[in-house]
Amino acid sequence: MNLTETLLESRLVAIVRGISREAAVTAGQGMTEGGIRLMEVTLNTTGAHDIIADWRERHEGQAYVGAGTVLNVQMAREAVAAGAQFLVSPNVDLSVIEYAVEQGVEIWPGAMTPTEIVAAYEAGAKVVKLFPMASLGIPYLREIKAPLNHIPLLATGGANLDNIAEYYAAGAAAVGLGSALLPKEALASGNHEQIAACTRAFVDAAKIKE
């Protein structure tokens, strides 16, 4: 199974940003115990490459590890060298998409408009991240899926347990989750069991088909 198939089956990507390497150990343990299969650390996180390498070593066979906020080809190269198995960006950079396709690395670039979404898909992205969902809102997702229902969208931003079912109902193929998965008190205390319980609730919600 390739990573896009894993994404479309599990319907979730966990996104970690601004976390310490130590806290990332707790986060990775909790999220994998809770059933997350795709974990992303953004490259504007201090020590992101170390976290990627740590997660690859600790969670091989449990979850795939990727890099987020990949803004140029150099960042993409460095992320892959660190062990990133997939790349995510907040924007459409055709050179980054081209690099990923050439390397055989899955890339899910961020886009907002129909023009950007189609451009990313035509360039070789099998899934396009719809961002920023928290600002765009669920009606936007529903409206944009009408003419672009052939393009799988990873809706990222604003999802929580109360509204994630609406994301899927509006047409999201998958949902990107950040702070909702990682209670601050659990990270601060090293409580991976609490993170696992939180994660499990989202994993269960993603299994419910409309």
Side-chain angles (χ1 to χ4, degrees):
M1 179 179 289
N2 66 35
L3 269 63
T4 292
E5 290 172 341
T6 300
L7 174 65
L8 297 178
E9 182 185 275
S10 67
R11 306 210 293 172
L12 293 173
V13 177
I15 304 161
V16 173
R17 182 188 305 274
I19 194 172
S20 70
R21 189 174 180 180
E22 182 181 7
V25 173
T26 300
Q29 184 176 353
M31 291 190 298
T32 54
E33 286 178 2
I36 282 288
R37 298 172 67 191
L38 296 159
M39 305 192 300
E40 163 198 338
V41 58
T42 65
L43 292 183
N44 57 356
T45 297
T46 301
H49 297 116
D50 292 327
I51 293 171
I52 290 170
D54 288 348
W55 278 356
R56 283 296 308 274
E57 183 178 351
R58 291 172 180 272
H59 305 299
E60 193 71 37
Q62 290 180 296
Y64 295 105
V65 178
T69 317
V70 179
L71 302 177
N72 54 55
V73 173
Q74 183 60 30
M75 292 175 76
R77 286 197 190 99
E78 292 171 355
V80 171
Q85 295 166 290
F86 62 91
L87 305 174
V88 185
S89 61
N91 64 311
V92 177
D93 186 316
L94 297 180
S95 62
V96 173
I97 297 172
E98 181 182 7
Y99 168 79
V101 171
E102 287 176 351
Q103 297 299 311
V105 177
E106 297 290 339
I107 181 160
W108 306 319
M112 183 175 75
T113 68
T115 300
E116 292 170 342
I117 292 168
V118 172
Y121 186 71
E122 293 294 331
K126 296 173 186 172
V127 175
V128 179
K129 181 174 85 167
L130 185 61
F131 177 78
M133 260 300 291
S135 300
L136 294 170
I138 290 169
Y140 183 88
L141 168 61
R142 185 180 297 111
E143 192 169 356
I144 211 166
K145 277 297 291 185
L148 302 180
N149 64 334
H150 62 294
I151 301 178
L153 296 179
L154 166 61
T156 302
N160 55 50
L161 273 179
D162 293 328
N163 66 14
I164 193 168
E166 297 177 54
Y167 278 57
Y168 294 127
V175 175
L177 294 167
S179 56
L181 282 178
L182 300 171
K184 288 182 179 179
E185 67 276 11
L187 281 177
S189 63
N191 188 345
H192 63 88
E193 292 95 345
Q194 184 180 351
I195 293 170
C198 183
T199 300
R200 203 168 289 117
F202 280 100
V203 169
D204 289 344
K207 291 176 181 175
I208 299 172
K209 306 292 184 180
E210 291 298 318

